[in-house]
Amino acid sequence: MNLALKDIRHNLGRFLLTCLGLSLLLGIVLAMIGIYRGLILESLGLARAANAHVWVVEGGTRGPFAEASRLPGDTREAIAAQWGVAAAGAVAYQNVEAQHRGAIKRMLVVGAEIGRPGEAPQIVAGRPILRSRYEAIADRRAGLALGEQVKLGRDTFTVVGHTENLVASGGDPVVYITLRDAQKLQFDLTPAATRREAARTQAAGTAAAGGSTDTVNAVLVRLLPGVDAEAFAAGIVRWKQLGALTQSQQEAVLSRSVIERARQQIGMFTSLLMIVSTVIIGLIVYTMTIDKKKSIATLKLIGAPDRRIVGLIVQQALAMGVIGFAAGAVLINLTHGYFPRRLVLEPTDAMVLSGIVLVVCLLASGLGVRAALKIDPASALAG
Amino acid sequence: MSEEPVVSLKAIGKHFGEGATRVDALRDIALDVFPGTVIGLRGPSGSGKSTLLNVIGCITEPNSGSMWLNGELVYDDKWLRSDLRGLRLEKIGFIFQSHNLLPFLNAWENVAIARILAGATKAQARARALELLDYLGVSHRKDAMPGQLSGGEAQRIAIARAMANDPRIILADEPTAALDSQRAGIVMDLMRKVAEERRTAVIVVTHDEKIFNRFDHIFALRDGMLEAPAAKAA
């Protein structure tokens, strides 16, 4: 006869309500982990989508995702001419706020060359960019329909294709345009005084990189099979004015520099939630134990061993944790599509969290167990 | 009486506190309770009735004296058995003033739990519980939850639970306090029946004058001392 189960059935409504509250709390914990996973995936998504082996960036910088990186536009040709290079493509990145259907949308605009590394990957609807000007491929999260026109800077672009789940580390949807359009967009968005200075130096025939509009943020290199990316990158770094990162180094930079604080923040918040969950489970189990004080005293008086009493409390705490966690997991699985940032729910995370929840329940039940063991059997005789 | 007493107390003393705050709850208590007898303990509040019941029930440790339960010396200036819980489970049944049925178990489960704690299987415990409920005339309420039972029915279920492990002694603390005269009479009749048919000793702590005539002997406690048994009321 399972006393824990009998007691739960006797107070089913209250128990389920408690589990519901706990499930919301554990659901939030799961969501936080999912947000963290999503953050990593989204942050690395853009770098991975480029499908490059080496990122050539401005010398002394760690690439466009960590800090400003500007290269002369002809760097691509110089890199493409190196031994071992299968393909090279220049890219430019620009954060843009665009008016769309009366609302301001923030996007990361990526300028890439048609048919070269860096162009939009995995188009899920529509077609790739075919014309050299004024076509765009937008991530679905941008809310731009196929064929719809959107004004970026001073020009209007037609959306011809869609990507999916391609956003910047800040969560802004990515919009691909051609490199030429992106360079113009960067120039258009530059402050007026800087534009004037650039135009003057161009008119004077000065090819200084600082005054030219033909700049890119990185050159993405795809290597021939068998060519060592690290060795290639080391060779590029010797050029002094250039820096080079392999794909794994680029991802590490993104993970460390860009999302490390977010990871710490989310980790801290998740830890606090787990502590709060522990305290709440502990208090609930303690309250449930005190509610059963008379029953526990009676059980002890008629000869129930301590392990039976402990079992009653621990089993209820575990049941609460298991039901609360399962309900929380179902809740988050049903609602994760409504979150503004991507939630990535991985089975291993769920399994680890369920294990932690069980440990938390065991710890939390300690308070109730202590209270139960202190109950004097003689108190059953008191009126 | 030629039989051995089920409970035998010699010079039992119990005090709470020390020095100026010391209160002697029991003083030099000597008592033999024989199988098949129903003993009453009465006295004003604070006279030591509950303390005596707790000592006999192996819940409260006395400070001095000796105690035998079913011929076994269990206390001799100290507990001689470490497993008092097992002792209670095997040899003592308890009946409470407010029945103390577990609210999350139905009537037969409340009886069966005592058997299960003693090691019986659920099927064995259920069979025993149904037999006892039938014996006490409440088998028709076997599936009722405690909240659905009348006071008399609940107390009968509590008696059945006390009998579940065939104890040698039943200790009842004000078992009729919450019942009217008719139901109190029925409960006392049942305890008498149990005592006579199963040779169980029954000790009842009571203030309830309407049942004083139901005991073989009534002992009065005053200031922790047991007075001579009063003559059985007519």
Side-chain angles (χ1 to χ4, degrees):
Chain A
M1 191 183 295
N2 189 309
L3 296 179
L5 201 61
K6 294 277 180 188
D7 188 42
I8 287 171
R9 282 175 61 184
H10 181 63
N11 295 303
L12 192 60
R14 195 177 68 166
F15 184 80
L16 289 181
L17 205 62
T18 307
C19 287
L20 179 68
L22 196 58
S23 73
L24 293 174
L25 201 60
L26 294 175
I28 292 172
V29 175
L30 260 179
M32 294 307 297
I33 296 170
I35 287 170
Y36 169 60
R37 292 282 178 213
L39 193 68
I40 291 176
L41 216 62
E42 285 181 344
S43 301
L44 298 180
L46 186 58
R48 285 175 179 169
N51 200 17
H53 294 121
V54 174
W55 292 64
V56 178
V57 299
E58 184 180 341
T61 75
R62 292 184 300 154
F65 300 120
E67 52 197 316
S69 164
R70 299 186 76 190
L71 300 169
D74 58 4
T75 307
R76 192 206 74 80
E77 280 72 27
I79 296 295
Q82 296 303 304
W83 182 86
V85 175
V91 286
Y93 299 97
Q94 178 69 47
N95 281 307
V96 173
E97 281 191 345
Q99 284 277 349
H100 178 247
R101 296 179 197 164
I104 293 174
K105 277 190 185 292
R106 196 175 157 76
M107 307 171 211
L108 175 68
V109 173
V110 179
E113 296 174 286
I114 296 171
R116 288 189 175 149
E119 68 173 344
Q122 294 173 342
I123 294 165
V124 295
R127 61 168 175 81
I129 293 174
L130 298 175
R131 293 169 56 188
S132 60
R133 302 300 304 269
Y134 310 127
E135 286 191 344
I137 290 172
D139 188 80
R140 281 193 160 142
R141 295 221 187 162
L144 300 169
L146 287 179
E148 194 170 1
Q149 294 198 316
V150 61
K151 193 168 183 190
L152 301 173
R154 294 178 183 175
D155 300 316
T156 302
F157 292 79
T158 304
V159 177
V160 297
H162 277 158
T163 58
E164 197 161 51
N165 291 327
L166 203 56
V167 296
S169 59
D172 301 329
V174 170
V175 173
Y176 283 89
I177 58 178
T178 61
L179 181 64
R180 191 175 161 196
D181 283 337
Q183 286 174 322
K184 180 169 185 298
L185 181 64
Q186 278 187 342
F187 182 73
D188 289 345
L189 296 177
T190 308
T194 312
R195 278 205 309 271
R196 256 198 321 275
E197 185 60 28
R200 189 175 299 133
T201 50
Q202 273 190 320
T206 311
S212 171
T213 59
D214 184 18
T215 58
V216 297
N217 297 124
V219 173
L220 308 186
V221 180
R222 220 170 278 155
L223 299 171
L224 290 168
V227 177
D228 182 50
E230 284 190 21
F232 182 84
I236 297 296
V237 170
R238 286 194 208 106
W239 291 19
K240 304 295 182 193
Q241 79 275 20
L242 298 180
L245 301 158
T246 62
Q247 178 67 20
S248 57
Q249 286 170 336
Q250 178 65 275
E251 289 184 14
V253 165
L254 264 169
S255 302
R256 277 203 310 272
S257 312
V258 182
I259 57 178
E260 180 60 18
R261 279 198 182 161
R263 189 185 72 80
Q264 287 175 352
Q265 181 89 340
I266 289 172
M268 179 68 85
F269 194 57
T270 307
S271 304
L272 284 174
L273 280 174
M274 286 311 296
I275 292 168
V276 170
S277 303
T278 309
V279 171
I280 288 178
I281 295 171
L283 286 175
I284 291 170
V285 172
Y286 179 76
T287 308
M288 285 166 68
T289 305
I290 296 303
D291 284 351
K292 285 194 287 288
K293 201 172 173 181
K294 188 101 179 173
S295 296
I296 290 170
T298 304
L299 277 167
K300 286 175 129 183
L301 187 66
I302 65 175
D306 284 346
R307 64 183 150 75
R308 189 101 190 184
I309 309 291
V310 171
L312 165 70
I313 292 157
V314 171
Q315 283 168 25
Q316 286 190 340
L318 290 177
M320 196 185 302
V322 168
I323 295 170
F325 175 77
V330 169
L331 190 73
I332 291 305
N333 270 290
L334 290 176
T335 58
H336 76 276
Y338 297 100
F339 280 74
R341 292 296 302 260
R342 190 171 167 199
L343 244 72
V344 178
L345 303 169
E346 291 187 359
T348 45
D349 288 337
M351 280 171 63
V352 169
L353 183 62
S354 66
I356 291 172
V357 168
L358 290 182
V359 172
V360 160
C361 286
L362 286 173
L363 288 175
S365 63
L367 199 62
V369 166
R370 188 166 171 268
L373 293 179
K374 283 172 74 176
I375 292 172
D376 182 3
S379 62
L381 291 165
Chain B
M1 292 202 186
S2 58
E3 286 181 278
E4 283 278 309
V6 179
V7 178
S8 186
L9 306 178
K10 303 280 185 244
I12 287 289
K14 174 69 185 174
H15 64 260
F16 297 102
E18 289 295 340
T21 60
R22 174 173 167 139
V23 175
D24 286 301
L26 297 175
R27 288 192 280 192
D28 200 25
I29 300 287
L31 176 69
D32 288 329
V33 184
F34 291 89
T37 57
V38 181
I39 299 295
L41 284 176
R42 67 182 177 86
S45 294
S47 60
K49 304 185 300 295
S50 294
T51 306
L52 182 55
L53 205 68
N54 287 347
V55 168
I56 298 171
C58 303
I59 302 164
T60 300
E61 183 175 8
N63 297 111
S64 58
S66 310
M67 179 167 78
W68 285 259
L69 274 182
N70 202 31
E72 178 189 350
L73 181 62
V74 294
Y75 181 83
D76 190 16
D77 284 332
K78 63 177 181 187
W79 289 119
L80 299 178
R81 273 183 65 155
S82 57
D83 183 22
L84 295 175
R85 177 198 67 79
L87 190 68
R88 288 199 297 270
L89 189 61
E90 291 162 17
K91 294 187 176 164
I92 306 169
F94 291 92
I95 300 170
F96 309 90
Q97 181 178 336
S98 53
H99 64 71
N100 283 29
L101 296 179
L102 301 178
F104 47 87
L105 300 182
N106 66 23
W108 77 260
E109 288 168 339
N110 257 292
V111 180
I113 186 69
R115 278 303 269 178
I116 288 171
L117 292 174
T121 65
K122 190 178 176 184
Q124 290 168 336
R126 186 173 195 274
R128 171 71 173 154
L130 295 180
E131 175 200 328
L132 286 169
L133 293 180
D134 190 42
Y135 178 71
L136 296 169
V138 279
S139 57
H140 63 291
R141 303 294 279 149
K142 67 180 190 304
D143 294 318
M145 298 302 285
Q148 300 167 322
L149 298 167
S150 70
E153 287 171 338
Q155 205 55 298
R156 280 197 248 181
I157 308 291
I159 295 171
R161 180 176 63 190
M163 293 170 63
N165 290 325
D166 274 327
R168 299 297 296 127
I169 181 167
I170 289 178
L171 303 176
D173 187 24
E174 305 268 11
T176 60
L179 304 177
D180 59 33
S181 299
Q182 191 190 353
R183 289 192 175 84
I186 292 169
V187 165
M188 287 309 298
D189 286 344
L190 284 172
M191 285 200 277
R192 163 72 58 196
K193 181 180 170 185
V194 170
E196 288 178 354
E197 293 181 5
R198 308 207 172 210
R199 306 301 296 158
T200 306
V202 178
I203 300 177
V204 180
V205 165
T206 186
H207 279 107
D208 193 353
E209 290 186 10
K210 60 184 179 283
I211 61 166
F212 280 179
N213 61 345
R214 305 285 187 141
F215 300 109
D216 296 313
H217 306 285
I218 303 179
F219 292 88
L221 267 160
R222 191 172 300 278
D223 298 329
M225 291 198 294
L226 205 58
E227 294 179 349
K232 186 178 176 181

